[in-house]
Amino acid sequence: MSKLLKAKTKEEKQDWQAMFAEWAEEAPEGPLKRYYQAGMIAPDTPLQDAPLLALDLETTGLDPKEDEIISLGVIPLSNKIIRCQGAQYWMAKPERSLNAESVTIHEITHSELAEAPPLHAILDQILVALTGQVVVVHCVSIERQFLLQAAMKIYGYPLYFPVLDTMDIERQATFKPWWKRFGRRPSLRLDACRQRYKLPRYKAHHALTDALSSAELLQAQISHHMDPTADISNYWV
């Protein structure tokens, strides 16, 4: 498991620092503008020096336009250390009733959410946690799209952030041309990815536990497949 991920071409690399500067000009006055004004690290920052924040959401479903965020957990980390004392966890009361299927998955009940604030009351705090951070997630399309939709609804302007996607990193690390593959393609589920690195098994579908799971997985992936001294722009999306 020592294959290094292929470096991105110049055209494939994104300059999040430049994009943040542009959005800082355009965003409406308030918390989101301050988030963009705080800026982002330069694309040539070494991976090992990047400020990383593992993030996970629990939602009422999988459609960012119809479903809602009901809990969110973050944990700061580096390529060597997970700073559990910096972990934060929020619950958010949804506008619509929970459906039975989602309750079965995340086990967050109506009674637990009854006293929780609505998302619009805590999104400012979440933005403070995200400020200046490269976000670590397992499946970028969930976290980034749900938070983008939430920001559009609450601030009238989209929220973007650079991501290290542990699912996509694992996809690249395990990819083999069809003639070298035997049987089924390796699973990219978070637990299945962790098992390949002999990481401990945790109960899934709690936002803070899953954020920790993604943080530990990224550290394992860095040690096996990534160059800590390489530019962060080789890896963020």
mmCIF file of all heavy atoms in Angstrom, residues 169-211:
data_model
loop_
_atom_site.group_PDB
_atom_site.id
_atom_site.type_symbol
_atom_site.label_atom_id
_atom_site.label_comp_id
_atom_site.label_asym_id
_atom_site.label_seq_id
_atom_site.Cartn_x
_atom_site.Cartn_y
_atom_site.Cartn_z
ATOM 1 N N ILE A 169 -9.512 10.039 -2.336
ATOM 2 C CA ILE A 169 -8.117 9.618 -2.160
ATOM 3 C C ILE A 169 -8.030 8.094 -2.186
ATOM 4 O O ILE A 169 -7.153 7.517 -2.837
ATOM 5 C CB ILE A 169 -7.556 10.180 -0.834
ATOM 6 C CG1 ILE A 169 -7.388 11.700 -0.940
ATOM 7 C CG2 ILE A 169 -6.227 9.511 -0.470
ATOM 8 C CD1 ILE A 169 -7.130 12.382 0.395
ATOM 9 N N GLU A 170 -8.964 7.436 -1.509
ATOM 10 C CA GLU A 170 -8.961 5.967 -1.492
ATOM 11 C C GLU A 170 -9.280 5.399 -2.867
ATOM 12 O O GLU A 170 -8.707 4.381 -3.277
ATOM 13 C CB GLU A 170 -9.963 5.459 -0.453
ATOM 14 C CG GLU A 170 -9.796 3.994 -0.083
ATOM 15 C CD GLU A 170 -8.505 3.699 0.665
ATOM 16 O OE1 GLU A 170 -7.811 4.635 1.108
ATOM 17 O OE2 GLU A 170 -8.172 2.499 0.789
ATOM 18 N N ARG A 171 -10.191 6.069 -3.575
ATOM 19 C CA ARG A 171 -10.507 5.620 -4.943
ATOM 20 C C ARG A 171 -9.252 5.620 -5.810
ATOM 21 O O ARG A 171 -8.973 4.668 -6.536
ATOM 22 C CB ARG A 171 -11.582 6.517 -5.552
ATOM 23 C CG ARG A 171 -11.969 6.152 -6.981
ATOM 24 C CD ARG A 171 -12.806 7.242 -7.629
ATOM 25 N NE ARG A 171 -12.112 8.513 -7.725
ATOM 26 C CZ ARG A 171 -11.170 8.789 -8.631
ATOM 27 N NH1 ARG A 171 -10.786 7.866 -9.505
ATOM 28 N NH2 ARG A 171 -10.598 9.983 -8.659
ATOM 29 N N GLN A 172 -8.487 6.710 -5.729
ATOM 30 C CA GLN A 172 -7.248 6.796 -6.502
ATOM 31 C C GLN A 172 -6.217 5.754 -6.046
ATOM 32 O O GLN A 172 -5.528 5.153 -6.862
ATOM 33 C CB GLN A 172 -6.639 8.190 -6.369
ATOM 34 C CG GLN A 172 -7.469 9.312 -6.959
ATOM 35 C CD GLN A 172 -6.810 10.652 -6.713
ATOM 36 O OE1 GLN A 172 -5.694 10.902 -7.170
ATOM 37 N NE2 GLN A 172 -7.475 11.524 -5.973
ATOM 38 N N ALA A 173 -6.127 5.551 -4.738
ATOM 39 C CA ALA A 173 -5.116 4.636 -4.186
ATOM 40 C C ALA A 173 -5.404 3.180 -4.523
ATOM 41 O O ALA A 173 -4.477 2.380 -4.687
ATOM 42 C CB ALA A 173 -5.030 4.815 -2.676
ATOM 43 N N THR A 174 -6.697 2.827 -4.625
ATOM 44 C CA THR A 174 -7.054 1.426 -4.870
ATOM 45 C C THR A 174 -7.334 1.131 -6.327
ATOM 46 O O THR A 174 -7.553 -0.019 -6.692
ATOM 47 C CB THR A 174 -8.294 1.027 -4.043
ATOM 48 O OG1 THR A 174 -9.397 1.878 -4.402
ATOM 49 C CG2 THR A 174 -8.021 1.148 -2.557
ATOM 50 N N PHE A 175 -7.316 2.171 -7.184
ATOM 51 C CA PHE A 175 -7.658 1.958 -8.586
ATOM 52 C C PHE A 175 -6.634 1.063 -9.282
ATOM 53 O O PHE A 175 -5.424 1.247 -9.147
ATOM 54 C CB PHE A 175 -7.742 3.282 -9.340
ATOM 55 C CG PHE A 175 -7.972 3.097 -10.827
ATOM 56 C CD1 PHE A 175 -9.233 2.799 -11.300
ATOM 57 C CD2 PHE A 175 -6.918 3.167 -11.727
ATOM 58 C CE1 PHE A 175 -9.450 2.598 -12.654
ATOM 59 C CE2 PHE A 175 -7.125 2.969 -13.087
ATOM 60 C CZ PHE A 175 -8.402 2.679 -13.545
ATOM 61 N N LYS A 176 -7.151 0.102 -10.028
ATOM 62 C CA LYS A 176 -6.310 -0.732 -10.884
ATOM 63 C C LYS A 176 -7.046 -0.913 -12.207
ATOM 64 O O LYS A 176 -8.267 -1.057 -12.219
ATOM 65 C CB LYS A 176 -6.054 -2.101 -10.245
ATOM 66 C CG LYS A 176 -5.228 -2.046 -8.970
ATOM 67 C CD LYS A 176 -5.034 -3.441 -8.404
ATOM 68 C CE LYS A 176 -4.221 -3.388 -7.110
ATOM 69 N NZ LYS A 176 -4.047 -4.720 -6.509
ATOM 70 N N PRO A 177 -6.309 -0.906 -13.325
ATOM 71 C CA PRO A 177 -6.962 -1.179 -14.610
ATOM 72 C C PRO A 177 -7.697 -2.519 -14.567
ATOM 73 O O PRO A 177 -7.328 -3.415 -13.810
ATOM 74 C CB PRO A 177 -5.791 -1.212 -15.598
ATOM 75 C CG PRO A 177 -4.714 -0.428 -14.931
ATOM 76 C CD PRO A 177 -4.871 -0.662 -13.463
ATOM 77 N N TRP A 178 -8.723 -2.633 -15.364
ATOM 78 C CA TRP A 178 -9.599 -3.803 -15.285
ATOM 79 C C TRP A 178 -8.841 -5.116 -15.403
ATOM 80 O O TRP A 178 -9.186 -6.109 -14.769
ATOM 81 C CB TRP A 178 -10.691 -3.708 -16.358
ATOM 82 C CG TRP A 178 -10.180 -3.806 -17.774
ATOM 83 C CD1 TRP A 178 -9.825 -2.778 -18.570
ATOM 84 C CD2 TRP A 178 -9.975 -4.981 -18.542
ATOM 85 N NE1 TRP A 178 -9.395 -3.221 -19.798
ATOM 86 C CE2 TRP A 178 -9.479 -4.584 -19.811
ATOM 87 C CE3 TRP A 178 -10.150 -6.346 -18.308
ATOM 88 C CZ2 TRP A 178 -9.169 -5.485 -20.810
ATOM 89 C CZ3 TRP A 178 -9.839 -7.253 -19.313
ATOM 90 C CH2 TRP A 178 -9.355 -6.821 -20.545
ATOM 91 N N TRP A 179 -7.757 -5.144 -16.178
ATOM 92 C CA TRP A 179 -7.061 -6.419 -16.369
ATOM 93 C C TRP A 179 -6.245 -6.830 -15.138
ATOM 94 O O TRP A 179 -5.773 -7.949 -15.045
ATOM 95 C CB TRP A 179 -6.159 -6.365 -17.605
ATOM 96 C CG TRP A 179 -5.071 -5.317 -17.539
ATOM 97 C CD1 TRP A 179 -3.836 -5.462 -17.007
ATOM 98 C CD2 TRP A 179 -5.140 -3.983 -18.029
ATOM 99 N NE1 TRP A 179 -3.128 -4.295 -17.127
ATOM 100 C CE2 TRP A 179 -3.892 -3.370 -17.757
ATOM 101 C CE3 TRP A 179 -6.127 -3.241 -18.673
ATOM 102 C CZ2 TRP A 179 -3.624 -2.038 -18.102
ATOM 103 C CZ3 TRP A 179 -5.835 -1.929 -19.010
ATOM 104 C CH2 TRP A 179 -4.609 -1.347 -18.732
ATOM 105 N N LYS A 180 -6.072 -5.907 -14.180
ATOM 106 C CA LYS A 180 -5.344 -6.254 -12.954
ATOM 107 C C LYS A 180 -6.286 -6.513 -11.782
ATOM 108 O O LYS A 180 -5.855 -6.845 -10.699
ATOM 109 C CB LYS A 180 -4.370 -5.134 -12.578
ATOM 110 C CG LYS A 180 -3.245 -4.945 -13.580
ATOM 111 C CD LYS A 180 -2.288 -3.860 -13.115
ATOM 112 C CE LYS A 180 -1.165 -3.659 -14.123
ATOM 113 N NZ LYS A 180 -0.271 -2.548 -13.731
ATOM 114 N N ARG A 181 -7.557 -6.335 -12.017
ATOM 115 C CA ARG A 181 -8.517 -6.488 -10.932
ATOM 116 C C ARG A 181 -9.080 -7.893 -10.914
ATOM 117 O O ARG A 181 -9.319 -8.498 -11.949
ATOM 118 C CB ARG A 181 -9.663 -5.495 -11.114
ATOM 119 C CG ARG A 181 -9.540 -4.268 -10.232
ATOM 120 C CD ARG A 181 -10.788 -3.448 -10.301
ATOM 121 N NE ARG A 181 -10.587 -2.333 -11.221
ATOM 122 C CZ ARG A 181 -11.505 -1.876 -12.030
ATOM 123 N NH1 ARG A 181 -12.676 -2.441 -12.089
ATOM 124 N NH2 ARG A 181 -11.234 -0.867 -12.829
ATOM 125 N N PHE A 182 -9.293 -8.414 -9.729
ATOM 126 C CA PHE A 182 -9.947 -9.710 -9.570
ATOM 127 C C PHE A 182 -11.138 -9.501 -8.647
ATOM 128 O O PHE A 182 -11.013 -8.928 -7.578
ATOM 129 C CB PHE A 182 -8.995 -10.730 -8.951
ATOM 130 C CG PHE A 182 -7.807 -11.024 -9.822
ATOM 131 C CD1 PHE A 182 -6.628 -10.311 -9.675
ATOM 132 C CD2 PHE A 182 -7.868 -11.983 -10.812
ATOM 133 C CE1 PHE A 182 -5.532 -10.560 -10.470
ATOM 134 C CE2 PHE A 182 -6.776 -12.240 -11.622
ATOM 135 C CZ PHE A 182 -5.599 -11.526 -11.457
ATOM 136 N N GLY A 183 -12.289 -9.989 -9.078
ATOM 137 C CA GLY A 183 -13.462 -9.825 -8.250
ATOM 138 C C GLY A 183 -13.983 -8.401 -8.290
ATOM 139 O O GLY A 183 -13.789 -7.664 -9.248
ATOM 140 N N ARG A 184 -14.640 -8.017 -7.212
ATOM 141 C CA ARG A 184 -15.305 -6.716 -7.172
ATOM 142 C C ARG A 184 -14.335 -5.592 -6.812
ATOM 143 O O ARG A 184 -13.332 -5.809 -6.148
ATOM 144 C CB ARG A 184 -16.436 -6.752 -6.134
ATOM 145 C CG ARG A 184 -17.628 -7.605 -6.563
ATOM 146 C CD ARG A 184 -18.752 -7.479 -5.573
ATOM 147 N NE ARG A 184 -18.334 -7.912 -4.233
ATOM 148 C CZ ARG A 184 -19.110 -7.859 -3.165
ATOM 149 N NH1 ARG A 184 -20.330 -7.360 -3.275
ATOM 150 N NH2 ARG A 184 -18.676 -8.277 -1.988
ATOM 151 N N ARG A 185 -14.694 -4.382 -7.240
ATOM 152 C CA ARG A 185 -13.934 -3.197 -6.882
ATOM 153 C C ARG A 185 -13.990 -2.996 -5.367
ATOM 154 O O ARG A 185 -15.042 -3.177 -4.762
ATOM 155 C CB ARG A 185 -14.552 -1.997 -7.592
ATOM 156 C CG ARG A 185 -13.864 -0.660 -7.330
ATOM 157 C CD ARG A 185 -12.774 -0.442 -8.334
ATOM 158 N NE ARG A 185 -12.009 0.748 -8.000
ATOM 159 C CZ ARG A 185 -12.188 1.936 -8.561
ATOM 160 N NH1 ARG A 185 -13.114 2.083 -9.482
ATOM 161 N NH2 ARG A 185 -11.437 2.952 -8.226
ATOM 162 N N PRO A 186 -12.898 -2.619 -4.721
ATOM 163 C CA PRO A 186 -12.924 -2.422 -3.266
ATOM 164 C C PRO A 186 -13.962 -1.382 -2.860
ATOM 165 O O PRO A 186 -14.158 -0.380 -3.539
ATOM 166 C CB PRO A 186 -11.504 -1.918 -2.951
ATOM 167 C CG PRO A 186 -10.663 -2.384 -4.090
ATOM 168 C CD PRO A 186 -11.555 -2.397 -5.289
ATOM 169 N N SER A 187 -14.651 -1.639 -1.747
ATOM 170 C CA SER A 187 -15.651 -0.707 -1.242
ATOM 171 C C SER A 187 -14.990 0.600 -0.804
ATOM 172 O O SER A 187 -13.879 0.596 -0.260
ATOM 173 C CB SER A 187 -16.393 -1.320 -0.046
ATOM 174 O OG SER A 187 -17.223 -0.345 0.567
ATOM 175 N N LEU A 188 -15.683 1.709 -1.057
ATOM 176 C CA LEU A 188 -15.194 3.016 -0.631
ATOM 177 C C LEU A 188 -15.975 3.559 0.563
ATOM 178 O O LEU A 188 -15.813 4.720 0.928
ATOM 179 C CB LEU A 188 -15.257 4.008 -1.793
ATOM 180 C CG LEU A 188 -14.349 3.682 -2.985
ATOM 181 C CD1 LEU A 188 -14.542 4.699 -4.101
ATOM 182 C CD2 LEU A 188 -12.874 3.629 -2.569
ATOM 183 N N ARG A 189 -16.811 2.738 1.189
ATOM 184 C CA ARG A 189 -17.473 3.164 2.420
ATOM 185 C C ARG A 189 -16.414 3.471 3.476
ATOM 186 O O ARG A 189 -15.348 2.867 3.496
ATOM 187 C CB ARG A 189 -18.413 2.085 2.925
ATOM 188 C CG ARG A 189 -19.692 1.908 2.121
ATOM 189 C CD ARG A 189 -20.607 0.864 2.756
ATOM 190 N NE ARG A 189 -19.921 -0.407 2.963
ATOM 191 C CZ ARG A 189 -19.509 -0.847 4.145
ATOM 192 N NH1 ARG A 189 -19.679 -0.115 5.242
ATOM 193 N NH2 ARG A 189 -18.905 -2.012 4.238
ATOM 194 N N LEU A 190 -16.722 4.397 4.378
ATOM 195 C CA LEU A 190 -15.755 4.847 5.369
ATOM 196 C C LEU A 190 -15.201 3.683 6.182
ATOM 197 O O LEU A 190 -13.981 3.551 6.349
ATOM 198 C CB LEU A 190 -16.405 5.888 6.290
ATOM 199 C CG LEU A 190 -15.532 6.484 7.394
ATOM 200 C CD1 LEU A 190 -14.254 7.109 6.840
ATOM 201 C CD2 LEU A 190 -16.338 7.521 8.186
ATOM 202 N N ASP A 191 -16.072 2.817 6.690
ATOM 203 C CA ASP A 191 -15.604 1.697 7.510
ATOM 204 C C ASP A 191 -14.736 0.744 6.704
ATOM 205 O O ASP A 191 -13.705 0.267 7.183
ATOM 206 C CB ASP A 191 -16.794 0.946 8.113
ATOM 207 C CG ASP A 191 -16.352 -0.215 8.989
ATOM 208 O OD1 ASP A 191 -15.655 0.023 10.000
ATOM 209 O OD2 ASP A 191 -16.690 -1.367 8.661
ATOM 210 N N ALA A 192 -15.131 0.465 5.455
ATOM 211 C CA ALA A 192 -14.351 -0.450 4.615
ATOM 212 C C ALA A 192 -12.965 0.132 4.322
ATOM 213 O O ALA A 192 -11.958 -0.594 4.324
ATOM 214 C CB ALA A 192 -15.094 -0.722 3.313
ATOM 215 N N CYS A 193 -12.907 1.449 4.064
ATOM 216 C CA CYS A 193 -11.600 2.091 3.829
ATOM 217 C C CYS A 193 -10.728 1.974 5.072
ATOM 218 O O CYS A 193 -9.527 1.679 4.990
ATOM 219 C CB CYS A 193 -11.797 3.560 3.465
ATOM 220 S SG CYS A 193 -12.623 3.851 1.884
ATOM 221 N N ARG A 194 -11.307 2.214 6.239
ATOM 222 C CA ARG A 194 -10.537 2.149 7.488
ATOM 223 C C ARG A 194 -9.995 0.748 7.744
ATOM 224 O O ARG A 194 -8.876 0.575 8.232
ATOM 225 C CB ARG A 194 -11.418 2.597 8.655
ATOM 226 C CG ARG A 194 -11.702 4.094 8.665
ATOM 227 C CD ARG A 194 -12.716 4.444 9.760
ATOM 228 N NE ARG A 194 -12.254 4.018 11.066
ATOM 229 C CZ ARG A 194 -11.424 4.698 11.846
ATOM 230 N NH1 ARG A 194 -10.970 5.885 11.447
ATOM 231 N NH2 ARG A 194 -11.064 4.240 13.033
ATOM 232 N N GLN A 195 -10.779 -0.266 7.404
ATOM 233 C CA GLN A 195 -10.334 -1.644 7.644
ATOM 234 C C GLN A 195 -9.075 -1.975 6.850
ATOM 235 O O GLN A 195 -8.254 -2.783 7.295
ATOM 236 C CB GLN A 195 -11.463 -2.626 7.292
ATOM 237 C CG GLN A 195 -12.590 -2.628 8.307
ATOM 238 C CD GLN A 195 -13.656 -3.635 7.951
ATOM 239 O OE1 GLN A 195 -13.394 -4.829 7.836
ATOM 240 N NE2 GLN A 195 -14.880 -3.155 7.753
ATOM 241 N N ARG A 196 -8.908 -1.367 5.679
ATOM 242 C CA ARG A 196 -7.712 -1.651 4.885
ATOM 243 C C ARG A 196 -6.446 -1.176 5.586
ATOM 244 O O ARG A 196 -5.343 -1.653 5.269
ATOM 245 C CB ARG A 196 -7.838 -0.994 3.503
ATOM 246 C CG ARG A 196 -8.759 -1.757 2.564
ATOM 247 C CD ARG A 196 -8.623 -1.307 1.124
ATOM 248 N NE ARG A 196 -9.413 -0.133 0.834
ATOM 249 C CZ ARG A 196 -10.714 -0.162 0.512
ATOM 250 N NH1 ARG A 196 -11.359 -1.308 0.480
ATOM 251 N NH2 ARG A 196 -11.352 0.968 0.237
ATOM 252 N N TYR A 197 -6.579 -0.223 6.518
ATOM 253 C CA TYR A 197 -5.413 0.288 7.250
ATOM 254 C C TYR A 197 -5.372 -0.238 8.696
ATOM 255 O O TYR A 197 -4.612 0.272 9.518
ATOM 256 C CB TYR A 197 -5.430 1.822 7.249
ATOM 257 C CG TYR A 197 -5.421 2.401 5.854
ATOM 258 C CD1 TYR A 197 -6.615 2.717 5.215
ATOM 259 C CD2 TYR A 197 -4.226 2.628 5.170
ATOM 260 C CE1 TYR A 197 -6.624 3.243 3.928
ATOM 261 C CE2 TYR A 197 -4.234 3.152 3.889
ATOM 262 C CZ TYR A 197 -5.433 3.452 3.274
ATOM 263 O OH TYR A 197 -5.441 3.976 2.003
ATOM 264 N N LYS A 198 -6.230 -1.242 8.980
ATOM 265 C CA LYS A 198 -6.289 -1.843 10.330
ATOM 266 C C LYS A 198 -6.664 -0.808 11.397
ATOM 267 O O LYS A 198 -6.220 -0.905 12.550
ATOM 268 C CB LYS A 198 -4.946 -2.501 10.689
ATOM 269 C CG LYS A 198 -4.430 -3.501 9.662
ATOM 270 C CD LYS A 198 -5.322 -4.726 9.563
ATOM 271 C CE LYS A 198 -4.673 -5.860 8.778
ATOM 272 N NZ LYS A 198 -4.519 -5.567 7.361
ATOM 273 N N LEU A 199 -7.470 0.169 11.023
ATOM 274 C CA LEU A 199 -7.938 1.157 11.995
ATOM 275 C C LEU A 199 -9.098 0.569 12.797
ATOM 276 O O LEU A 199 -9.816 -0.310 12.312
ATOM 277 C CB LEU A 199 -8.388 2.429 11.272
ATOM 278 C CG LEU A 199 -7.266 3.232 10.598
ATOM 279 C CD1 LEU A 199 -7.855 4.308 9.687
ATOM 280 C CD2 LEU A 199 -6.339 3.857 11.626
ATOM 281 N N PRO A 200 -9.300 1.042 14.029
ATOM 282 C CA PRO A 200 -10.376 0.477 14.854
ATOM 283 C C PRO A 200 -11.755 0.753 14.263
ATOM 284 O O PRO A 200 -11.951 1.728 13.535
ATOM 285 C CB PRO A 200 -10.204 1.192 16.203
ATOM 286 C CG PRO A 200 -9.437 2.440 15.891
ATOM 287 C CD PRO A 200 -8.542 2.091 14.743
ATOM 288 N N ARG A 201 -12.704 -0.116 14.590
ATOM 289 C CA ARG A 201 -14.060 0.043 14.070
ATOM 290 C C ARG A 201 -14.906 0.802 15.080
ATOM 291 O O ARG A 201 -14.931 0.481 16.269
ATOM 292 C CB ARG A 201 -14.673 -1.330 13.773
ATOM 293 C CG ARG A 201 -13.858 -2.133 12.781
ATOM 294 C CD ARG A 201 -14.584 -3.351 12.276
ATOM 295 N NE ARG A 201 -15.598 -2.993 11.297
ATOM 296 C CZ ARG A 201 -16.299 -3.891 10.606
ATOM 297 N NH1 ARG A 201 -16.054 -5.197 10.779
ATOM 298 N NH2 ARG A 201 -17.199 -3.518 9.746
ATOM 299 N N TYR A 202 -15.592 1.843 14.598
ATOM 300 C CA TYR A 202 -16.462 2.665 15.432
ATOM 301 C C TYR A 202 -17.900 2.518 14.970
ATOM 302 O O TYR A 202 -18.172 2.188 13.823
ATOM 303 C CB TYR A 202 -16.078 4.152 15.333
ATOM 304 C CG TYR A 202 -14.675 4.504 15.749
ATOM 305 C CD1 TYR A 202 -13.963 5.501 15.080
ATOM 306 C CD2 TYR A 202 -14.058 3.867 16.827
ATOM 307 C CE1 TYR A 202 -12.676 5.859 15.463
ATOM 308 C CE2 TYR A 202 -12.764 4.204 17.219
ATOM 309 C CZ TYR A 202 -12.079 5.202 16.532
ATOM 310 O OH TYR A 202 -10.800 5.539 16.908
ATOM 311 N N LYS A 203 -18.823 2.820 15.874
ATOM 312 C CA LYS A 203 -20.238 2.861 15.484
ATOM 313 C C LYS A 203 -20.433 4.052 14.544
ATOM 314 O O LYS A 203 -20.044 5.175 14.870
ATOM 315 C CB LYS A 203 -21.106 3.007 16.726
ATOM 316 C CG LYS A 203 -22.601 3.021 16.451
ATOM 317 C CD LYS A 203 -23.371 3.074 17.745
ATOM 318 C CE LYS A 203 -24.865 3.239 17.503
ATOM 319 N NZ LYS A 203 -25.453 2.137 16.725
ATOM 320 N N ALA A 204 -21.020 3.797 13.398
ATOM 321 C CA ALA A 204 -21.147 4.833 12.370
ATOM 322 C C ALA A 204 -22.364 5.720 12.606
ATOM 323 O O ALA A 204 -23.223 5.418 13.431
ATOM 324 C CB ALA A 204 -21.245 4.175 10.995
ATOM 325 N N HIS A 205 -22.416 6.819 11.860
ATOM 326 C CA HIS A 205 -23.559 7.737 11.787
ATOM 327 C C HIS A 205 -23.757 8.566 13.048
ATOM 328 O O HIS A 205 -24.881 8.881 13.425
ATOM 329 C CB HIS A 205 -24.847 6.994 11.405
ATOM 330 C CG HIS A 205 -24.733 6.271 10.098
ATOM 331 N ND1 HIS A 205 -24.481 6.940 8.906
ATOM 332 C CD2 HIS A 205 -24.795 4.949 9.792
ATOM 333 C CE1 HIS A 205 -24.408 6.047 7.927
ATOM 334 N NE2 HIS A 205 -24.591 4.851 8.434
ATOM 335 N N HIS A 206 -22.648 8.938 13.684
ATOM 336 C CA HIS A 206 -22.658 10.043 14.640
ATOM 337 C C HIS A 206 -21.659 11.043 14.091
ATOM 338 O O HIS A 206 -20.523 10.688 13.786
ATOM 339 C CB HIS A 206 -22.255 9.583 16.042
ATOM 340 C CG HIS A 206 -22.330 10.675 17.064
ATOM 341 N ND1 HIS A 206 -21.398 11.700 17.137
ATOM 342 C CD2 HIS A 206 -23.238 10.919 18.041
ATOM 343 C CE1 HIS A 206 -21.727 12.522 18.118
ATOM 344 N NE2 HIS A 206 -22.836 12.074 18.685
ATOM 345 N N ALA A 207 -22.067 12.311 13.958
ATOM 346 C CA ALA A 207 -21.252 13.277 13.222
ATOM 347 C C ALA A 207 -19.848 13.422 13.804
ATOM 348 O O ALA A 207 -18.866 13.511 13.059
ATOM 349 C CB ALA A 207 -21.954 14.631 13.190
ATOM 350 N N LEU A 208 -19.715 13.438 15.127
ATOM 351 C CA LEU A 208 -18.394 13.641 15.719
ATOM 352 C C LEU A 208 -17.527 12.389 15.579
ATOM 353 O O LEU A 208 -16.329 12.484 15.280
ATOM 354 C CB LEU A 208 -18.529 14.026 17.195
ATOM 355 C CG LEU A 208 -17.321 14.716 17.832
ATOM 356 C CD1 LEU A 208 -16.855 15.916 17.003
ATOM 357 C CD2 LEU A 208 -17.656 15.159 19.250
ATOM 358 N N THR A 209 -18.131 11.223 15.759
ATOM 359 C CA THR A 209 -17.383 9.968 15.589
ATOM 360 C C THR A 209 -16.927 9.805 14.146
ATOM 361 O O THR A 209 -15.798 9.390 13.880
ATOM 362 C CB THR A 209 -18.237 8.759 16.004
ATOM 363 O OG1 THR A 209 -18.720 8.955 17.328
ATOM 364 C CG2 THR A 209 -17.427 7.473 15.958
ATOM 365 N N ASP A 210 -17.808 10.139 13.213
ATOM 366 C CA ASP A 210 -17.440 10.002 11.798
ATOM 367 C C ASP A 210 -16.389 11.032 11.389
ATOM 368 O O ASP A 210 -15.551 10.762 10.521
ATOM 369 C CB ASP A 210 -18.680 10.118 10.907
ATOM 370 C CG ASP A 210 -19.530 8.848 10.924
ATOM 371 O OD1 ASP A 210 -19.086 7.847 11.532
ATOM 372 O OD2 ASP A 210 -20.628 8.847 10.346
ATOM 373 N N ALA A 211 -16.408 12.217 12.001
ATOM 374 C CA ALA A 211 -15.347 13.195 11.740
ATOM 375 C C ALA A 211 -14.003 12.637 12.226
ATOM 376 O O ALA A 211 -12.987 12.736 11.525
ATOM 377 C CB ALA A 211 -15.656 14.520 12.435
#
